[in-house]
Amino acid sequence: MYKVKIIAHGQVQGVGFRYGTVLIARQLGLKGRVWNNADGTVGLFAQADNQETLKIFEEKLRQGPTPFSSVIKLDVFSADFDDFENFDIKY
């Protein structure tokens, strides 16, 4: 199992970024969570059976999961967290 923590910077709050992220993650079969941070960034935990799927996910996030979002930078870190059963938004 491959796991990453991602911090998305840019126009990522109030533009459907989290919802779009969930749709992409579920299409790719990823599990994890996405949430808004107080500093205007969006945080994600994502896990997959292979690294290639995570790379595809990162590329789709860089393009912006919705037409209204604009990602300036993604910080991607290897992470260790408990396994998720699905991919959801944390409110």
Side-chain angles (χ1 to χ4, degrees), residues 47-67:
Q47 66 188 58
D49 292 332
N50 62 67
Q51 285 183 310
E52 185 59 31
T53 303
L54 286 175
K55 291 290 183 194
I56 293 167
F57 181 61
E58 288 174 33
E59 267 313 303
K60 290 184 179 288
L61 289 180
R62 287 182 201 286
Q63 296 167 8
T66 70

Side-chain angles (χ1 to χ4, degrees), residues 17-42:
F17 185 92
R18 291 178 300 163
Y19 179 74
T21 297
V22 168
L23 293 179
I24 292 168
R26 288 179 180 171
Q27 287 173 345
L28 293 171
L30 297 178
K31 296 177 182 175
R33 177 178 288 158
V34 59
W35 64 88
N36 282 341
N37 291 317
D39 64 0
T41 62
V42 170

